[in-house]
Amino acid sequence: MKKAERELRREIIARCKEMNVNGINQGTSGNISARFEDRMLVSPSATPYDALEPDMIASMALEDTSGAWEGPLKPSTEWRFHHALLRERDDAHAVVHAHPTYCTTLAIARREIPACHYMIAAFGGNNVRCAGYARFGTEELSAMAVEAMRDRTACLLANHGMIAIGDTLAKAMWRAVELETIARQYYLSLQMERGVILTDREVDETIAAFKGYGLQDDAERPKSKRQRSQAKSKTAA
C-alpha cells in the first residue's frame, strides 16, 4: 500500500472519531469516504471508530458500480451515495455523512435550510435542500441525494441526516460542522417566529466574496514600515 493511501486511511479514521467528539454524530451511524486516485476509500459498516485500523477501510473502484470492494470488512451501507458523488462530482474528493441533531430535526420536518445566515453561501447557493425519503443504503436514496446536491456542497436527507462534500476531508468536515451550526440557528429562529431570510442578491454577494475568502493577495496587503523603506531604497537605486 502506498504511503499516501495509508495516510488517507488514517485521516478517515481520525475524522470519524472527530464527528463524535464534536457532537455531529452518535455511535457508528455516520460514515466518511475519500477519493484516492481511481478508487474510493470508505469507512466500513457497523464498526466502532475506536476499533478501526487503516487496513479495515474498504476500497472500491470508482468506475465499478456493482458494489464490489477490497478489504476485510464490507463498506458502509451508504456506500452508494458516497460512490456516486465521488464519481460524478469533480469538486468532491471527500464525503461526510452524519446524523447531527438539528440537521436531522429539520430533515424530519422535511424542511430545507434557507438563506437564514450568510454562511449558507458556503454550500453553493441560497439554500440547502432536503432530499426525499428512501430507505438507507438504497439506489433510490443515492439518486435523490445526488439530485439534492446539484450545484450544492451539502444537503439534508429526509428523516435521516445530512451529507457534505469537500475537496479535502478537512473541508468536508468543516462544512458538516458549519451545516449543523446553521441548522441549529435556523431551528431556534423558527421558535421565535421572527427570522429574516437574506435575498438572492445578498447571498450572491457573499458567494462572490468567498472566492477570495481565506486567501491573501500580496498586491492588496498593507506594507510594513520596513517594506516601504526597502521599496524606496530599490527605487532610489
Side-chain angles (χ1 to χ4, degrees):
M1 184 184 299
K2 295 179 180 178
K3 181 180 178 181
E5 180 179 351
R6 182 165 291 276
E7 289 177 350
L8 186 57
R9 288 168 176 259
R10 290 186 185 281
E11 186 178 1
I12 288 173
I13 295 170
R15 297 295 179 182
C16 284
K17 294 176 181 178
E18 182 183 340
M19 284 195 298
N20 285 9
V21 169
N22 63 26
I24 67 167
N25 193 64
Q26 310 81 37
T28 61
S29 56
N31 29 78
I32 294 178
S33 66
R35 183 198 307 270
F36 183 77
E37 297 179 349
D38 60 350
R39 301 187 69 82
M40 175 178 79
L41 304 178
V42 60
S43 55
S45 177
T47 305
Y49 303 145
D50 288 340
L52 287 177
E53 296 292 338
D55 291 343
M56 296 178 180
I57 300 297
S59 176
M60 307 177 77
L62 284 171
E63 72 274 10
D64 182 2
T65 60
S66 70
W69 81 88
E70 295 179 5
L73 301 175
K74 64 182 179 180
S76 165
T77 56
E78 303 292 16
W79 68 267
R80 286 181 173 82
F81 62 65
H82 284 267
H83 195 267
L85 289 166
L86 291 177
R87 187 177 69 249
E88 298 177 17
R89 296 277 298 259
D90 291 338
D91 59 335
H93 289 265
V95 181
V96 172
H97 166 59
H99 301 169
T101 299
Y102 287 92
C103 283
T104 305
T105 298
L106 293 175
I108 290 170
R110 309 286 177 96
R111 279 182 177 267
E112 68 173 28
I113 304 177
C116 57
H117 191 286
Y118 77 84
M119 284 301 293
I120 201 75
F123 306 102
N126 63 359
N127 66 346
V128 172
R129 305 181 186 103
C130 183
Y133 178 78
R135 184 179 64 79
F136 71 91
T138 59
E139 291 185 13
E140 183 182 4
L141 176 61
S142 176
M144 289 192 293
V146 170
E147 176 59 23
M149 294 276 283
R150 179 173 41 84
D151 301 323
R152 297 290 187 272
T153 55
C155 75
L156 304 181
L157 301 174
N159 301 85
H160 187 152
M162 53 70 64
I163 303 171
I165 64 173
D167 55 3
T168 63
L169 279 166
K171 191 63 171 290
M173 183 63 70
W174 173 82
R175 283 201 175 107
V177 173
E178 188 64 36
L179 184 62
E180 174 64 354
T181 300
I182 293 177
R184 182 171 184 265
Q185 293 163 344
Y186 180 50
Y187 173 85
L188 292 173
S189 75
L190 291 174
Q191 312 316 301
M192 298 172 62
E193 299 182 355
R194 296 184 60 184
V196 176
I197 304 303
L198 298 174
T199 66
D200 288 351
R201 180 183 62 80
E202 289 167 331
V203 174
D204 288 343
E205 287 175 350
T206 304
I207 290 174
F210 274 179
K211 291 179 180 178
Y213 188 74
L215 301 176
Q216 297 207 31
D217 187 340
D218 288 335
E220 297 179 359
R221 185 186 303 168
K223 291 182 172 59
S224 67
K225 183 176 180 180
R226 180 180 177 182
Q227 288 172 322
R228 290 196 299 270
S229 177
Q230 290 175 338
K232 287 181 181 179
S233 296
K234 289 180 180 179
T235 302

